[in-house]
Amino acid sequence: MKALFITSIYSKLHGTDLGGRSSREHHYKWSLLNILNMKPSKIVCFTSKEEIDNLKSWFYNDHHVDPEVLEFRVFDLYKSRHYNKIQANKNVEHVKKTDRCHEIQYNKFYWAKLIKDRHDYDRVFWVDAGLSHGGLFPEEYQLGNKWESHFAIVMFRKKILQQWCDQSKDNILMMAKSNIGNYYWSQTVPDHFYKEYNTDKHIIGGMFGGTPKQYDELVDTFNKYLLKVLKGSDELYHEEKIMSCMYADDKDKYSTLEFDDWYERPHLKQFDPKLFHHMFI
């Protein structure tokens, strides 16, 4: 089964009017290198003009990754779809201090439309480049004893990709965290954007996907919701909050990998929660 992964690496955005995490260059590189062990047919990684040469050298020359498997494409985030509408809702001074870039979050959907041959694949998945890291996976699943072992998670293997493919046969596959009781995680978009307000599940933006046709439909759905939220609010909302609303409004369109909490917490151990890394077992 042919699977296409879409991802991005923009590691120099912190402190700018785009917003982004600081000191994440090595995190993203080592994590994406490990994600390649899932053996997707192709990964298309969007990045900046300033970073592309360094990324190509690190992956192709230093780590001998096949350019036919991992392709880097330059994308100017200032040319993102709805950029002016996003700017109208953006508190720039606040964004400069935050670690999240809304343009990247929203392009998790829109970038797919730039990949003209996406329908040549059986599945299309968005996968965060930094998803493979020790903050989400216990030490027993980390390989080696060097610094980079923090990102060399043994669970990112072909069998997990096969499971994703199997579970996305009929519906878009998403990750969903419990958002109730002890496992409350996040607020969402205001209740008037929902058909029927329900925040029991918080959708995680680190991985989602399905068939190319389903992914195209997902892009159209997200676009509809994003425009509604941009018009009906003077705030910017993370993609996960919008996705959580999409999910609550039409649960039958999605299949979910579900978990209760990110990692083990001693005071909650008695409840035997399903943790994030359990979805990879």
Side-chain angles (χ1 to χ4, degrees):
M1 186 171 290
K2 294 179 63 178
L4 169 68
F5 284 5
I6 306 171
T7 192
S8 72
I9 294 179
Y10 291 83
S11 58
K12 302 182 184 299
L13 301 180
H14 186 70
T16 73
D17 58 352
L18 291 167
R21 300 186 189 280
S22 62
S23 305
R24 288 301 180 100
E25 177 183 349
H26 294 295
H27 173 157
Y28 296 146
K29 286 177 176 177
W30 283 105
S31 172
L32 183 56
L33 187 66
N34 192 59
I35 289 170
L36 281 159
N37 288 320
M38 299 181 74
K39 304 300 181 184
S41 304
K42 182 74 172 284
I43 298 180
V44 176
C45 180
F46 291 89
T47 189
S48 67
K49 181 175 64 175
E50 293 75 17
E51 294 175 85
I52 190 168
D53 289 341
N54 174 274
L55 289 171
K56 285 182 175 180
S57 178
W58 194 87
F59 281 94
Y60 300 161
N61 300 332
D62 298 348
H63 295 277
H64 311 293
V65 174
D66 185 349
E68 293 296 317
V69 175
L70 176 59
E71 176 188 350
F72 292 101
R73 297 191 186 185
V74 169
F75 182 86
D76 183 352
L77 292 171
Y78 290 102
K79 295 182 179 178
S80 297
R81 191 184 299 191
H82 309 314
Y83 177 77
N84 290 335
K85 289 183 173 66
I86 293 169
Q87 286 297 109
N89 286 22
K90 181 182 289 188
N91 181 332
V92 174
E93 293 308 311
H94 173 72
V95 166
K96 289 179 180 179
K97 301 173 185 177
T98 63
D99 61 2
R100 300 294 301 276
C101 173
H102 288 88
E103 286 81 1
I104 290 177
Q105 293 174 38
Y106 302 158
N107 276 310
K108 290 182 179 185
F109 301 86
Y110 299 135
W111 275 324
K113 292 295 184 77
L114 301 181
I115 303 173
K116 301 302 182 184
D117 66 347
R118 65 189 180 279
H119 287 272
D120 292 344
Y121 297 86
D122 300 294
R123 297 288 188 275
V124 178
F125 294 101
W126 170 268
V127 182
D128 279 3
L131 188 62
S132 175
H133 70 90
L136 295 173
F137 298 88
E139 286 188 14
E140 63 190 281
Y141 299 108
Q142 299 174 27
L143 296 172
N145 54 14
K146 296 181 180 180
W147 175 85
E148 58 265 25
S149 68
H150 188 71
F151 308 101
I153 310 300
V154 71
M155 300 166 118
F156 285 83
R157 293 297 182 266
K158 190 173 182 178
K159 63 180 180 180
I160 294 298
L161 175 55
Q162 185 59 55
Q163 290 177 19
W164 290 357
C165 291
D166 292 343
Q167 292 171 278
S168 59
K169 179 181 178 182
D170 301 313
N171 294 308
I172 284 287
L173 180 65
M174 292 180 169
M175 293 178 170
K177 185 192 178 303
S178 175
N179 202 40
I180 57 176
N182 290 319
Y183 306 117
Y184 173 79
W185 173 249
S186 175
Q187 294 179 335
T188 183
V189 298
D191 56 4
H192 63 270
F193 290 113
Y194 283 76
K195 292 178 182 176
E196 185 173 342
Y197 192 59
N198 186 319
T199 61
D200 289 353
K201 299 293 181 184
H202 179 79
I203 299 301
I204 304 304
M207 187 284 294
F208 54 86
T211 67
K213 181 176 182 294
Q214 291 166 347
Y215 204 106
D216 284 355
E217 292 172 352
L218 180 71
V219 173
D220 294 339
T221 300
F222 179 81
N223 188 60
K224 180 180 70 174
Y225 274 76
L226 175 61
L227 287 175
K228 183 167 61 174
V229 170
L230 287 173
K231 182 179 179 180
S233 173
D234 59 0
E235 295 185 39
L236 287 180
Y237 291 95
H238 294 325
E239 89 286 16
E240 294 185 345
K241 296 183 178 183
I242 298 172
M243 293 169 72
S244 297
C245 181
M246 290 162 53
Y247 169 76
D249 281 353
D250 204 349
K251 293 180 181 179
D252 290 342
K253 289 179 63 176
Y254 307 103
S255 298
T256 51
L257 296 169
E258 301 190 0
F259 67 105
D260 297 311
D261 212 348
W262 296 103
Y263 42 78
E264 188 174 288
R265 304 175 199 263
H267 69 288
L268 295 179
K269 193 172 183 179
Q270 60 180 313
F271 298 104
D272 193 27
K274 182 175 182 179
L275 304 178
F276 179 86
H277 76 272
H278 290 157
M279 296 188 297
F280 290 77
I281 296 177

